[in-house]
Each structure stands twice: as structure tokens, then as C-alpha cells.
């Protein structure tokens, strides 16, 4: 327990990774309140700033159905948020006694949907809708959404690729795009997916996916559909199961596009249930229209090209090593195509690393290679201690004292393996040979049957000759495999890329397996398809605009 002037702290309600929640009262008025306190005894400036931001955002929303904030108080090195206490309990604790009946679920689901809709109208994405962040007073029926700690005040957001251990949010309720492995931006529809996970648990007593392994859980959200709700509770009406599964669609475009449309369908279920204790099947989403302009993020007109890339990755997963060149003009969608294989790589527990060559850094050797593997090292540092210790043992076992060669270009490796003895100085040529040898062994650690490696290099036309030599060596040395290197370049600049042209010729002579993919501008029918799915109109209505865009 802790002490605050003017307040009495009575008992702890919950302890999470970032914060602790207590119940108490104001001493003068005896008003019931809830305290949310940072867990860390010595929080960093960024942690304190994030907590202040959460308080200000929640306070500014001022929406009925969002927990009310009273004040932010300093307690020694920490901050404490004082919140209203309306006698509710988090939904996850309510569900410990079992799933909800339809009589309880339908009115509650409608209220939660309505509150979330009002949050979205304020251009806020919650990003962590879970049963533990919905508080419900079962007696009064009052319900509130809490915890805006990772909320975004944006219409959309680009997610980072992080390890499952370090993702923002709660894995069991996280949308596919929020994992950073779907080549999609995050918008308010991520909350609708999380709401679908929450509804699933409210109706069945269990979340859609129950894997313990974080990577398996992320993979499930990306590619697997959960069992129909009737498998667990046969009495659930088919149409209600369809509503929840529509919320759980992998592509945001296939979910409900607004809380208004979802609420209308739930309301229809409630009316039928109250009248006849039955819910008949009906067409979903008849009232589902979004008031926001959202361009569809699906890939159009790239099916054959994606199949080529997929086939190359499939061969690499089985032990091959391969190079794929993706060429096309600037902005034609080379990077978008390559990043589409993220979800497949995760299914094989693979690594996807990317780097970008710069026209003005061609005099800096290995810059893009270092960028790619630096991001991998930072990901490893976010792993649990036991797993990080295994990587340390592997690195030292394979590289020995030579790991210092890599520490000199990727200093973060020292945080994994510890401080190493300096290496003897060699001539420039010997130094280069040593680096190439050590780097090749380093890459092979991460390219194996257990986790194939995909390296994506953008703007390959600006690559330096030293980097191209390393890439050639990785693909031509025998007795290695499970590595796919994808290089994207602008075909109109290929003639100026002398180093790349020479490297291509050299790889061909060495027998490197090469697949070439040329991306052409989209055909008119593909643009028309994009417009139809963005504006929700007919093909006939879309034709004039499609012709103009084309």
C-alpha cells in the first residue's frame, strides 16, 4: 500500500505490467474513488509523459461511458491518477463465473458499442479493447471503458514490427494489423476486431485463441479463424455468431465499417430476443456505412507477382537460398508487394529484415546491411531473459572472439554478449576479408530450418559494391540455405547502377537462383476494383472515375 494526502487507500484491485489499480475514498467527503499508479518505483521521463498523456486524453474526452478522471497526483517518484468509482468490476472478473446469457449480453454489447462509437467520433483509437478494460456494474447496468494508455489521437497509424513480447496492447485481443505484420495501417477498425474478441469471450467464456506461445498467438490472429461460437455454446443464435465472426475478419475491409452498423444489427437481435426468445437470421450490415473516407489497403492486380514471391519463400523454407529482383518505376508498389509476405514468414517463425540504400550514402559500405541487422538485434533485446541468454550462447559459440568485429558496426550486440576483448589490427584487405567471413557466419545463425531468413533491400540501384559482394557471397557459398534476399530497384535507373549490373552478371555466372518480378502500372480494371471497394459503389458507377484515374 501507499499513502496519498486527503485520500484513503483500501485495497489493490489489479496489478498489470505498467500500472497498479487500487480502490479507496476521499477522506473529507468519503467519495469512492479508484487510484491508478505507475508500477515502476523510478519511472523514466517517457513513462511519466505517457501517463500524463493518458490522463489528459481521458479527461478531455468527457464522454458518458468513458471513465471520469478527477486529478493527477505525485506520489514520491511516481504519478497517481484519481478516477471515479461507480461500483463496477472489470468484465474479465465478471466472466470468471461463466459466459453471459443473451439477456445480459445483448443490452451490454449495445452499450459498449455505443460508447466505442463516441470515442471514435473524437478521432481516438483505443487500441486495447479487452474485457479487463471494460468495467461493468451488474446491478445498475452501467458500463465504462477504461485505460487509454496506448490510445492514438489519429485517424490511422503505421505500426512497427516488434517481437510479440514487446507489442503494445494485449495479444489475446489484438487485431492482425496491430501486430505490424500485415502490411496495413491501423485505423479505428482495429478496435472493432478487439471488440469481436471481447464479444466472443462474453458469449463463450473463452477468448477466440488460447495459445500460450506469443508467436503462435500472433500467427493465429493473422491467418486462423476461431471456431464458431456454437462449438462452445450450441444455443447461441447463428446470426449472432456471424456478427462476431464478421468483427473478427482478418482484413479490416471485411469487418463492420462503423459502430453504427454493428449497433443496428445487435439492436435487431435484441428486439427479436425480447419478443420471441429467438433470433432469426438476417442480412448483416444493411445499415453499415462509415462516415470516414478509407482507401482500401488490399493489393490489386498483383496476384501473379505475389505467387512468384510466395513460391520463392516456400523453396527457401525447405532449405534453398534464393534471390528475387523486384523492378518497376518509383511508386508502383514494389515495397508493398514484398511486405505482403510478412504474415507467411511469421507462420514459419522466420525473420523479416529490411534496409534501404541511399543515393547519398553510396560511399558508406554495408550501410543497408547494418541497418537491417541492427533492427534484428534490437528485437532480440526485447526477448525474455531466458531466450536472450540462449541467443547470447549461440552468438559466442559460433563467432567466438570475432563477435567484436560486429560490435564495431552494430554496438547493440554488446548488450547481448557483453564486453569483448579488442581484436588485433590487420591490413585493409585482411580486415575486409575478416568482416565478410564473420558477417556470413552471423547471418547463418538466423537462417535455418527453425526460422528461415528474409532480407529485403529497397532501392538496390544505389547499393555500394561492398554490400553487393556480401549479398553475392551469402547466396553463392555452398552448405548454407534457408535465406531469401529480395532486392527492389527502379528499372529506369538500372543502366546507371553499374555496381548492381556487375553484381547481377557475377551472380548469374556463379549459378545463384534468381527470380525476376517486373511490376507494371495497374490496369484499368484493377483501379476500378479499388474504387468500387473504397466507395462501396457499383462497377458501372465507378467506371468514369476509374478511367480518369487510369
Amino acid at each position: 500500500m501507499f499513502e496519498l494526502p486527503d485520500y484513503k487507500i483500501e485495497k489493490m484491485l489489479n496489478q498489470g505490467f505498467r500500472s497498479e489499480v487500487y480502490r479507496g475514498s476521499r477522506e473529507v467527503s468519503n467519495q469512492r474513488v479508484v487510484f491508478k499508479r505507475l508500477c515502476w518505483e523510478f519511472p523514466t521521463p517517457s513513462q511519466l509523459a505517457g501517463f500524463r498523456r493518458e490522463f489528459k486524453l481521458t479527461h478531455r474526452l468527457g464522454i458518458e461511458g468513458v471513465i471520469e478522471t478527477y486529478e493527477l497526483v505525485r506520489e514520491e517518484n511516481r504519478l497517481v491518477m484519481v478516477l471515479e468509482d461507480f461500483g463496477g468490476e472489470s468484465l474479465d472478473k465478471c466472466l470468471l463465473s461463466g459466459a453471459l446469457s443473451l439477456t445480459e449480453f445483448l443490452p451490454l454489447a449495445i452499450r459498449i458499442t455505443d460508447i466505442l462509437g463516441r470515442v471514435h467520433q473524437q478521432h481516438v483509437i483505443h487500441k486495447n479493447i479487452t474485457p479487463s478494460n471494460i468495467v461493468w456494474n451488474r446491478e445498475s447496468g452501467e458500463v465504462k471503458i477504461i485505460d487509454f494508455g496506448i490510445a492514438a489521437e489519429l485517424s490511422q497509424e503505421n505500426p512497427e514490427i516488434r517481437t510479440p513480447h514487446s507489442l503494445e496492447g494485449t495479444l489475446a485481443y489484438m487485431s492482425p494489423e496491430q501486430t505490424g505484420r500485415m502490411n496495413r495501417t491501423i485505423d479505428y477498425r482495429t478496435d472493432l476486431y478487439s471488440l469481436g474478441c471481447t464479444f466472443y469471450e462474453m458469449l463463450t467464456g473463452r477468448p477466440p485463441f488460447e495459445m500460450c506461445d506469443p508467436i503462435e498467438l500472433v500467427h493465429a490472429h493473422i491467418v486462423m479463424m476461431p471456431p464458431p461460437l456454437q462449438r462452445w455454446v450450441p444455443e447461441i443464435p447463428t446470426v449472432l455468431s456471424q456478427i462476431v465472426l464478421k468483427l473478427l475478419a482478418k482484413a479490416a475491409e471485411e469487418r463492420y465499417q462503423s459502430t453504427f452498423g454493428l449497433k443496428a444489427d445487435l439492436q435487431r437481435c435484441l428486439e427479436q430476443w425480447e419478443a420471441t426468445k429467438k433470433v432469426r437470421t438476417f442480412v448483416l450490415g444493411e445499415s453499415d456505412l462509415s462516415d470516414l473516407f478509407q482507401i482500401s489497403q488490399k493489393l490489386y492486380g498483383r496476384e501473379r507477382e505475389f505467387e512468384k514471391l510466395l513460391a520463392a519463400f516456400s523453396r527457401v523454407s525447405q532449405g534453398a537460398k534464393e534471390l528475387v529482383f523486384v523492378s518497376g518505376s518509383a511508386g508502383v508498389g514494389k515495397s508493398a508487394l514484398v511486405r505482403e509476405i510478412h504474415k507467411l514468414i511469421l507462420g514459419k517463425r522466420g525473420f523479416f529484415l529490411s534496409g534501404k540504400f541511399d543515393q547519398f550514402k553510396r560511399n558508406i559500405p554495408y550501410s543497408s546491411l547494418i541497418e537491417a541487422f541492427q533492427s534484428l538485434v534490437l528485437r532480440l533485446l526485447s526477448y525474455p531473459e531466458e531466450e536472450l541468454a540462449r541467443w547470447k550462447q549461440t552468438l559466442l559459440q559460433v563467432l567466438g572472439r570475432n563477435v567484436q568485429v560486429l560490435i564495431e558496426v552494430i554496438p547493440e550486440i554488446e548488450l547481448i554478449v557483453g564486453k569483448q576483448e579488442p581484436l588485433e589490427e590487420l591490413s585493409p584487405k585482411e580486415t575486409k576479408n575478416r568482416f565478410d567471413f564473420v558477417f556470413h557466419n552471423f547471418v547463418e545463425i538466423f537462417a535455418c530450418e527453425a526460422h528461415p531468413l528474409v532480407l529485403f533491400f529497397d532501392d538496390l540501384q544505389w547499393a555500394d559494391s561492398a554490400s553487393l559482394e556480401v549479398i553475392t557471397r551469402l547466396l553463392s557459398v555452398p552448405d548454407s540455405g534457408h535465406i531469401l534476399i529480395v532486392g527492389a530497384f527502379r528499372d529506369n535507373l538500372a543502366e546507371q547502377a553499374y555496381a548492381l549490373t556487375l553484381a547481377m552478371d557475377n551472380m548469374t555466372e556463379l549459378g545463384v537462383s534468381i527470380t525476376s518480378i517486373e511490376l507494371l502500372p495497374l490496369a484499368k480494371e484493377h483501379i476500378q476494383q479499388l474504387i468500387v471497394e473504397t466507395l462501396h459503389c457499383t462497377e458501372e458507377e465507378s467506371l468514369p472515375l476509374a478511367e480518369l484515374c487510369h
Side-chain angles (χ1 to χ4, degrees), residues 280-486:
R280 297 184 305 276
T281 302
F282 55 84
V283 178
L284 301 184
E286 288 184 325
S287 303
D288 188 29
L289 287 174
S290 173
D291 60 350
L292 294 176
F293 178 62
Q294 297 280 348
I295 296 176
S296 176
Q297 295 181 53
K298 285 161 48 177
L299 282 188
Y300 295 90
R302 302 297 187 217
E303 291 79 12
R304 280 182 299 178
E305 293 85 350
F306 183 67
E307 284 300 321
K308 277 189 176 183
L309 194 59
L310 186 58
F313 178 67
S314 179
R315 290 190 291 271
V316 163
S317 299
Q318 294 166 23
K321 52 180 181 287
E322 198 160 328
L323 174 65
V324 175
F325 284 125
V326 182
S327 62
S329 57
V332 79
K334 300 183 291 295
S335 300
L337 172 70
V338 176
R339 293 183 185 280
E340 196 70 10
I341 65 169
H342 265 169
K343 53 190 174 186
L344 305 168
I345 295 168
L346 181 70
K348 296 288 185 180
R349 290 178 170 263
F351 292 108
F352 179 90
L353 310 180
S354 64
K356 187 179 177 72
F357 288 102
D358 191 315
Q359 181 181 5
F360 302 106
K361 292 182 180 178
R362 297 175 82 174
N363 60 329
I364 305 174
Y366 314 119
S367 60
S368 188
L369 290 165
I370 291 168
E371 176 191 344
F373 282 93
Q374 195 167 31
S375 68
L376 173 60
V377 172
L378 291 172
R379 262 187 262 171
L380 294 182
L381 286 167
S382 70
Y383 282 0
E385 285 185 18
E386 290 180 8
E387 197 166 346
L388 189 61
R390 286 197 295 271
W391 282 110
K392 174 183 178 178
Q393 183 181 1
T394 303
L395 286 166
L396 291 175
Q397 187 177 330
V398 173
L399 304 176
R401 290 182 61 247
N402 282 331
V403 73
Q404 181 62 30
V405 172
L406 297 171
I407 291 173
E408 288 172 4
V409 292
I410 308 175
E412 291 84 357
I413 293 176
E414 189 174 84
L415 298 174
I416 299 176
V417 301
K419 196 161 186 64
Q420 303 295 307
E421 293 294 324
L423 294 170
E424 60 181 312
E425 290 192 19
L426 301 175
S427 68
K429 185 177 181 180
E430 289 175 320
T431 299
K432 180 183 179 302
N433 290 339
R434 181 172 62 183
F435 176 83
D436 290 348
F437 175 76
V438 174
F439 189 80
H440 177 79
N441 290 340
F442 176 64
V443 172
E444 285 201 327
I445 292 172
F446 302 100
C448 63
E449 187 177 359
H451 38 74
L453 175 66
V454 178
L455 287 169
F456 170 47
F457 298 111
D458 205 359
D459 281 337
L460 203 61
Q461 73 274 0
W462 306 128
D464 59 283
S465 56
S467 294
L468 291 169
E469 284 178 25
V470 171
I471 290 171
T472 304
R473 179 182 171 85
L474 287 173
L475 293 166
S476 59
V477 172
D479 303 323
S480 64
H482 299 287
I483 181 167
L484 174 64
I485 296 181
V486 184

Side-chain angles (χ1 to χ4, degrees), residues 95-129:
L95 293 173
L96 291 175
S97 57
L100 302 183
S101 66
L102 286 189
T103 303
E104 277 190 315
F105 169 80
L106 287 169
L108 179 59
I110 290 168
R111 282 196 291 273
I112 296 169
T113 303
D114 187 53
I115 296 165
L116 186 59
R118 281 184 248 149
V119 171
H120 290 166
Q121 285 175 344
Q122 298 292 322
H123 307 292
V124 171
I125 310 169
H126 188 281
K127 290 170 58 182
N128 200 17
I129 295 293

Side-chain angles (χ1 to χ4, degrees), residues 1-2 7-14 20-26 31-37 67 80-90 93 135-137:
M1 290 293 184
F2 62 100
Y7 290 103
K8 181 182 178 183
I9 290 85
E10 296 172 2
K11 65 173 181 177
M12 177 183 280
L13 297 178
N14 186 38
E20 305 163 339
V21 179
Y22 297 82
R23 183 166 261 155
S25 61
R26 202 186 295 266
Q31 178 189 13
R32 305 298 299 168
V33 292
V34 168
F35 307 95
K36 183 176 181 178
R37 183 175 78 146
I67 200 75
V80 180
M81 205 181 298
V82 185
L83 308 161
E84 70 169 314
D85 181 3
F86 62 99
E89 194 171 34
S90 60
K93 291 183 178 174
V135 180
W136 179 37
N137 186 319

